[in-house]
Amino acid sequence: MHILVLSNLYPPDILGGYELLARDVAEVLTHRGHTVEVLTTGPRTGQASVIRTLRLARPFGRPAGRDRLRHFWAGLLNQAATREYLRTHAKPQVALVMSLRRLGLAPLRVLQQAGIPFVLTVNDDWPVAYSAGLSPRGGTWIGRWLDEVLVPARTWRGLSAASVLYLSEAVRRVVRNAGVPLASGAVQSQGVDLSLFTPRAFRPMRSELRLLCVGRLHPSKAPEIALDTLAVLKQRAVPATLTFVGEADAPSFQASLRQRARALGVEPLVTWAGKLPREQLPALYQEADVLLFLSRLEHEGQGLTYLEAMACGLPVVASPSGGAREFLERHNVARLVPVCSGEAFADELSALGGDRSAQEATVKRALEVVRAHACLDAYVKCLEGQLRQAVRRSTAP
């Protein structure tokens, strides 16, 4: 198949797992013999198959807004850029749509007019932003009227996806409960590259715990609770250190975390590793004793770092939400704390640390579940099937 991947961002422009997943999918589909091109935003990198002619309505890093004029102007530019792509490149048979948050739906209208079917991947609540007057926080009748009457091209009106693939039941529920006019589609967990994230031989947790947190430093990820956990362990005379891998969008938030560490008296025990290439993560997972996974984001699609950790044989103690809670509760592969607090995490770490058999059983089951339900190969095979079906339907007499 000749496949066009449409995405708001694409590596090296990375906010989180969505962009890395887009690249993973494009690379695996290419290795499977498909012709894959990517239409996205950002400065050109010289990679011929990645066309960076689209434009975001508002850059990430700036607060999101309901600025319809910005979206209208970006829509016009993206409409023209998509038409230019179709004029200068061979027509793709099908499009795979990743996140269009802050990009808009104009490219989809051009593809639909050109008779190119598209498959939507919904890994978070991004479709809500384009449902007449709605946002994740709801909307007003004025906003709904403006969207429906003045700028209907901003909404899903008139668009018809060949199929929709949701990352989790939680994401599907959030999107459909918000009134987004998308089909119920199918659910498929995203996957870990098991050729990169490989398991270490089992070893029990050390008496001096090496705790690890991986991911963007953001209030929704509750990194302050990891600091509180370290402080509680210190009060209980349990030796431990904590490493954060990731950066904050806002420097002020990262500064507040450092201040909290100083106030709690744990600053010498904390390492701020910053944002690291994914290739460096397996070694960190394999060296740590426990991954702390925290999330307050109710529309959390699924999360990825805990799956990477489990693939590397690292126990996970978690306070999950959204799709992450759904996955971890269904498969029983992590220790879940009853409340998101330092005391609760410290209690769970102490209980797990004193039970070697529980550690070994948790690690073994987690690895089995990742291989069976959350590997990259399974995710791409599911997408490939959806794309083939879309092509067949579009060419059927």
Side-chain angles (χ1 to χ4, degrees):
M1 289 183 291
H2 182 184
I3 303 166
L4 173 66
V5 174
L6 183 63
S7 182
N8 57 355
L9 297 173
Y10 192 81
D13 294 338
I14 297 172
L15 281 179
Y18 220 147
E19 297 77 43
L20 293 172
L21 181 64
R23 183 176 63 190
D24 287 343
V25 168
E27 289 178 350
V28 174
L29 287 172
T30 300
H31 292 156
R32 289 178 183 270
H34 303 291
T35 299
V36 180
E37 292 175 323
V38 180
L39 186 60
T40 186
T41 66
R44 298 182 183 183
T45 57
Q47 188 176 353
S49 61
V50 181
I51 300 97
R52 297 180 182 271
T53 54
L54 300 180
R55 181 179 297 190
L56 298 174
R58 186 184 294 268
F60 289 98
R62 297 183 187 177
R66 299 290 293 168
D67 190 336
R68 288 170 175 81
L69 182 59
R70 282 178 179 269
H71 282 276
F72 177 73
W73 178 242
L76 291 179
L77 295 175
N78 290 335
Q79 186 180 63
T82 307
R83 285 175 176 160
E84 179 65 11
Y85 161 77
L86 294 178
R87 188 184 70 81
T88 56
H89 292 72
K91 182 179 176 181
Q93 295 170 276
V94 64
L96 173 62
V97 182
M98 306 300 285
S99 178
L100 300 186
R101 191 184 296 274
R102 300 200 183 192
L103 180 70
L105 305 179
L108 296 188
R109 297 189 181 282
V110 175
L111 295 177
Q112 185 164 282
Q113 290 165 5
I116 300 169
F118 54 87
V119 173
L120 291 177
T121 64
V122 182
N123 289 14
D124 58 30
D125 69 337
W126 72 263
V128 178
Y130 304 115
S131 188
L134 294 178
S135 73
R137 297 173 298 280
T140 65
W141 69 268
I142 295 177
R144 188 173 294 109
W145 181 82
L146 287 171
D147 282 341
E148 290 181 345
V149 177
L150 295 185
V151 282
R154 276 194 73 235
T155 73
W156 292 101
R157 178 182 291 182
L159 288 171
S160 178
S163 62
V164 185
L165 193 67
Y166 298 89
L167 188 64
S168 63
E169 290 287 356
V171 167
R172 177 160 63 179
R173 185 166 54 250
V174 166
V175 170
R176 289 179 60 77
N177 286 352
V180 180
L182 294 178
S184 60
V187 172
Q188 174 65 46
S189 297
Q190 73 185 77
V192 177
D193 183 351
L194 298 182
S195 67
L196 176 63
F197 295 95
T198 57
R200 67 189 183 194
F202 172 77
R203 64 165 172 77
M205 294 161 56
R206 288 167 283 207
S207 57
E208 182 176 333
L209 293 175
R210 297 185 185 183
L211 308 178
L212 181 65
C213 280
V214 180
R216 190 163 54 111
L217 298 179
H218 189 272
S220 67
K221 304 295 185 181
E224 73 280 1
I225 301 301
L227 293 172
D228 293 350
T229 301
L230 191 61
V232 173
L233 291 173
K234 181 183 177 183
Q235 291 169 2
R236 298 179 183 180
V238 177
T241 59
L242 172 64
T243 298
F244 283 110
V245 179
E247 292 179 348
D249 295 336
S252 59
F253 183 65
Q254 183 135 357
S256 72
L257 290 175
R258 290 178 178 270
Q259 176 57 40
R260 189 184 190 99
R262 287 191 290 271
L264 291 170
V266 297
E267 185 179 24
L269 305 175
V270 181
T271 298
W272 308 88
K275 193 173 183 179
L276 297 177
R278 184 170 51 172
E279 291 71 22
Q280 294 182 22
L281 294 182
L284 290 172
Y285 287 131
Q286 292 172 358
E287 173 57 23
D289 288 304
V290 178
L291 178 82
L292 303 184
F293 180 81
L294 308 97
S295 177
R296 293 189 176 120
L297 196 63
E298 283 309 315
H299 58 271
E300 174 86 65
Q302 178 189 296
L304 188 61
T305 58
Y306 65 90
L307 295 173
E308 294 171 346
M310 293 190 298
C312 291
L314 180 64
V316 175
V317 177
S319 175
S321 60
R325 175 168 291 278
E326 173 188 299
F327 186 94
L328 291 172
E329 286 184 340
R330 180 169 70 248
H331 295 293
N332 189 28
V333 287
R335 302 293 285 256
L336 305 187
V337 299
V339 293
C340 189
S341 72
E343 290 280 349
F345 268 94
D347 288 345
E348 200 60 55
L349 287 167
S350 297
L352 182 61
D355 190 341
R356 175 179 174 139
S357 62
Q359 295 173 38
E360 191 165 9
T362 298
V363 166
K364 180 181 178 183
R365 171 154 177 77
L367 185 55
E368 290 171 351
V369 167
V370 170
R371 287 171 173 165
H373 301 285
C375 70
L376 180 62
D377 248 11
Y379 183 76
V380 176
K381 283 180 181 177
C382 181
L383 277 178
E384 189 177 32
Q386 299 281 329
L387 293 166
R388 288 190 187 281
Q389 285 183 14
V391 172
R392 283 197 295 268
R393 291 193 199 110
S394 70
T395 56

